[in-house]
């Protein structure tokens, strides 16, 4: 991961300007909340900022990307950077307690420390309150970077102690064109750009047989819902659930389903240029003969509700079975 501030500025000019000015003036905030849609480069930003803090061979604001500090940050092995991710469905109190304990020790190689909390909106109430106490005693040498798609789910007392950085949605057209330049077909470039955070991830997805199969299963499910609904329960049991084994994978399957139903809307209103599954145009046309605009709108709401149920830890197979019965 060798993203530079120059590259970051192309997709996030406002955030980049704010933070690079702080780096130049040596006024980096003690805490940031980076918020924006799925796909925005929040994690890349956090890693880049950490490099700018620790790199001893920085050129202006740009980390050198080749020193020991930069390389260890890339590999996730820097002793003074701590990353917290949800333990199961949430970030728990003991994870924040462990973080505070680690930070009581002097930095191993300097007094600087950085901690990154991914999906910060998934903190339990107790974990959030414990983090709040931590933030109320800021150290000049400590930088907290909280990443979230939903900043409103972070308690107001934490938000008020952090600098808020709003990440703009990615420019999908630029990513599509870059993928086409790399030899990806137009149809695949459209889908990959819809479901990827950046060029490197999109290229990885283009080689991912799991993602290719996921797309096929979504199209098959819609065909069965349209033509042979009696076979849907068997399909869910024998093909859908074995492929989408984890909640994250299942969320991605529902995201693909959302996009396919939105494509039906775009077809209905004659906005074919916005269709993502452009290589399935004939099947989308057939589906729109089966579903009215009202049906499609209702089904989009049902899919969103299924995604929320998954986040609330409802049993995955039950969520999909209920959804396919309701569509």
């Amino acid at each position: 991961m060798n993203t530079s501030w120059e590259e970051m500025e192309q997709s996030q000019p406002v955030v980049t300007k704010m933070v690079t000015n702080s780096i130049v003036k040596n006024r980096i905030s003690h805490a940031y909340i980076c918020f924006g849609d799925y796909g925005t480069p929040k994690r890349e930003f956090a890693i880049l900022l950490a490099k700018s803090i620790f790199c001893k061979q920085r050129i202006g604001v740009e980390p050198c990307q080749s020193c020991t500090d930069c390389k260890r940050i890339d590999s996730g092995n820097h002793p003074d950077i701590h990353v917290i991710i949800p333990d199961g469905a949430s970030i728990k109190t003991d994870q924040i307690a462990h973080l505070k304990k680690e930070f009581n020790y002097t930095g191993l190689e300097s007094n600087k420390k950085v901690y990154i909390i991914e999906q910060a909106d998934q903190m339990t109430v107790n974990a959030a309150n414990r983090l709040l106490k931590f933030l109320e005693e800021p150290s000049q040498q400590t930088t907290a970077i909280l990443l979230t798609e939903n900043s409103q789910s972070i308690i107001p007392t934490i938000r008020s102690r952090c600098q808020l950085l709003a990440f703009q949605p990615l420019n999908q057209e630029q990513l599509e064109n870059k993928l086409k330049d790399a030899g990806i077909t137009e149809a695949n470039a459209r889908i990959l750009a819809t479901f990827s955070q950046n060029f490197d991830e999109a290229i990885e997805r283009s080689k991912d047989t799991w993602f290719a199969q996921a797309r096929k299963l979504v199209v098959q499910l819609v065909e069965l819902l349209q033509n042979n609904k009696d076979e849907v329960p068997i399909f869910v049991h024998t093909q859908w659930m074995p492929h989408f084994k984890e909640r994250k994978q299942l969320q991605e399957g529902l995201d693909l389903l959302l996009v396919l139903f939105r494509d039906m809307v775009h077809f209905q209103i004659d906005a074919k240029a916005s269709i993502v599954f452009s290589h399935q145009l004939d099947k989308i046309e057939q589906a729109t003969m089966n579903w009215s605009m009202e049906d499609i709108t209702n089904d989009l709401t049902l899919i969103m509700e299924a995604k929320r149920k998954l986040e609330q830890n409802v049993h995955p197979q039950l969520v999909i079975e209920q959804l396919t019965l309701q569509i």
Side-chain angles (χ1 to χ4, degrees):
M1 185 190 294
N2 288 322
T3 304
S4 65
W5 287 116
E6 186 180 356
E7 289 171 325
M8 186 65 68
E9 189 172 16
Q10 291 174 18
S11 67
Q12 305 298 328
V14 177
V15 163
T16 301
K17 194 72 176 169
M18 286 169 66
V19 174
T20 52
N21 282 345
S22 300
I23 296 169
V24 169
K25 294 173 183 175
N26 201 24
R27 290 182 185 168
I28 294 171
S29 174
H30 76 281
Y32 295 96
I33 291 177
C34 304
F35 65 96
D37 293 345
Y38 173 79
T40 50
K42 299 180 289 292
R43 192 175 195 282
E44 288 88 340
F45 165 87
I47 297 298
L48 187 55
L49 179 55
K51 286 180 181 176
S52 292
I53 289 169
F54 285 101
C55 179
K56 300 179 186 71
Q57 298 174 33
R58 212 173 66 201
I59 303 161
V61 295
E62 294 287 3
C64 72
Q65 305 285 8
S66 58
C67 67
T68 305
D69 282 309
C70 286
K71 285 183 176 176
R72 282 191 300 182
I73 290 169
D74 272 335
S75 65
N77 291 321
H78 198 288
D80 294 323
I81 296 177
H82 300 267
V83 179
I84 292 180
I85 60 173
D87 177 11
S90 61
I91 293 169
K92 298 175 174 59
T93 312
D94 60 354
Q95 291 178 273
I96 304 297
H98 178 72
L99 179 72
K100 288 181 74 172
K101 185 178 176 185
E102 287 287 326
F103 274 58
N104 286 334
Y105 303 118
T106 306
L108 293 178
E109 294 173 20
S110 71
N111 288 326
K112 298 173 184 174
K113 280 186 176 284
V114 169
Y115 61 97
I116 299 166
I117 301 181
E118 297 193 33
Q119 299 177 54
D121 53 292
Q122 299 295 321
M123 279 186 283
T124 64
V125 173
N126 287 339
N129 286 328
R130 185 163 279 211
L131 179 67
L132 179 61
K133 290 177 184 173
F134 199 14
L135 289 170
E136 284 171 340
E137 304 164 0
S139 158
Q140 288 293 326
Q141 302 291 313
T142 298
T143 305
I145 310 172
L146 281 60
L147 313 181
T148 180
E149 289 174 34
N150 183 8
S151 64
Q152 294 305 310
S153 292
I154 295 174
I155 59 174
T157 42
I158 287 181
R159 288 208 309 271
S160 67
R161 286 163 176 78
C162 299
Q163 183 174 349
L164 296 174
L165 299 175
F167 280 66
Q168 299 174 1
L170 292 181
N171 184 328
Q172 191 173 323
E173 189 179 348
Q174 284 181 343
L175 181 53
E176 272 184 54
N177 289 334
K178 199 173 174 185
L179 288 167
K180 285 189 280 187
D181 289 344
I184 304 289
T185 65
E186 185 171 352
N188 282 337
R190 174 70 59 89
I191 292 176
L192 292 166
T194 303
F195 285 90
S196 304
Q197 297 187 29
N198 53 47
F199 179 76
D200 290 338
E201 185 183 325
I203 291 295
E204 284 302 308
R205 277 185 186 275
S206 72
K207 303 169 187 171
D208 184 1
T209 54
W210 182 91
F211 185 64
Q213 180 63 14
R215 287 154 53 184
K216 287 180 186 174
L217 288 172
V218 167
V219 173
Q220 285 173 6
L221 176 61
V222 170
E223 284 185 298
L224 283 176
L225 287 167
Q226 180 185 341
N227 300 317
N228 202 342
K229 206 162 181 182
D230 290 343
E231 289 187 13
V232 170
I234 298 166
F235 176 82
V236 167
H237 182 69
T238 60
Q239 295 193 57
W240 184 277
M241 295 309 298
H243 189 72
F244 300 100
K245 292 174 187 173
E246 299 169 14
R247 281 178 190 272
K248 187 178 177 183
Q249 292 176 332
L250 201 47
Q251 287 283 16
E252 191 152 347
L254 291 177
D255 284 334
L256 282 161
L257 197 60
L258 266 178
V259 168
L260 193 48
F261 271 85
R262 283 180 188 146
D263 282 351
M264 293 182 207
V265 173
H266 292 137
F267 191 93
Q268 293 263 33
I269 62 173
D270 203 25
K272 294 185 180 67
S274 299
I275 289 175
V276 174
F277 280 80
S278 55
H279 60 305
Q280 301 285 357
L281 213 54
D282 56 336
K283 290 178 181 175
I284 291 168
E285 183 176 8
Q286 288 169 16
T288 55
M289 293 176 185
N290 194 66
W291 276 281
S292 68
M293 184 65 92
E294 186 182 354
D295 291 332
I296 297 166
T297 305
N298 289 338
D299 291 341
L300 284 168
T301 304
L302 290 171
I303 298 166
M304 291 299 294
E305 184 59 34
K307 284 177 63 62
R308 278 192 289 273
K309 285 178 182 173
L310 279 179
E311 287 172 2
Q312 293 160 2
N313 269 352
V314 180
H315 192 278
Q317 183 145 344
L318 183 63
V319 171
I320 300 304
E321 285 173 352
Q322 285 181 338
L323 174 64
T324 52
L325 279 171
Q326 290 170 313
I327 288 179

